[in-house]
Amino acid sequence: MSQDEDEQGTSTQKGYRLLGILDVEKTPCAREAVLHGAGASLAAGLLHFLATSRVKRSFDVGAGGFLLATFASWCYCRVSNARQRAQQRMIQHGMKNKIIYQGTPADPARSGQNSRAASGSS
């Protein structure tokens, strides 16, 4: 790859594809889920082997741990991202309304001050 390709951004860089179907670089939460699954697989398989000394069963436990931890981590990450996007939308909507209504009679902050001033003068 030459410097010209780097400067122009014309290089065709492919992301890492897991099993040829999942582009880990572009899929949200995929990288973290696979890493958590690999760690859980290693821990579960090794602990089962140390406890029982059964190689095949330990491999099966490790594979099951990988699947379970990957799926659980991916679901947790996706739910967290969805919650964060909802909060961002709510904050953006509130900021937009504040900009639109600021200084007008329809300003919610101003109406609270007007009601306090009216009740204080009674």
Side-chain angles (χ1 to χ4, degrees):
M1 191 179 312
S2 68
Q3 287 181 340
D4 293 334
E5 287 180 356
D6 289 339
E7 290 172 1
Q8 294 174 357
T10 59
S11 64
T12 56
Q13 189 177 26
K14 289 179 122 180
Y16 178 73
R17 296 182 76 80
L18 184 65
L19 300 175
I21 56 171
L22 178 65
D23 190 0
V24 176
E25 209 173 294
K26 292 185 176 120
T27 306
C29 301
R31 179 179 179 271
E32 291 83 9
V34 170
L35 289 173
H36 288 144
S41 169
L42 183 67
L46 186 62
L47 288 174
H48 190 271
F49 177 74
L50 291 175
T52 63
S53 297
R54 296 175 64 186
V55 177
K56 185 181 181 326
R57 179 60 56 103
S58 298
F59 178 80
D60 294 342
V61 167
F66 174 78
L67 293 174
L68 183 66
T70 300
F71 183 70
S73 176
W74 185 77
C75 288
Y76 177 77
C77 182
R78 296 292 292 196
V79 167
S80 296
N81 283 350
R83 188 177 301 128
Q84 185 179 16
R85 281 193 306 272
Q87 287 175 345
Q88 287 174 345
R89 278 194 304 269
M90 187 173 63
I91 290 169
Q92 286 174 346
H93 181 69
M95 288 173 61
K96 186 176 86 173
N97 284 344
K98 178 151 179 78
I99 291 169
I100 291 172
Y101 294 124
Q102 189 173 16
T104 65
D107 185 8
R110 192 172 189 195
S111 65
Q113 292 172 353
N114 289 343
S115 64
R116 278 189 236 128
S119 64
S121 63
S122 304

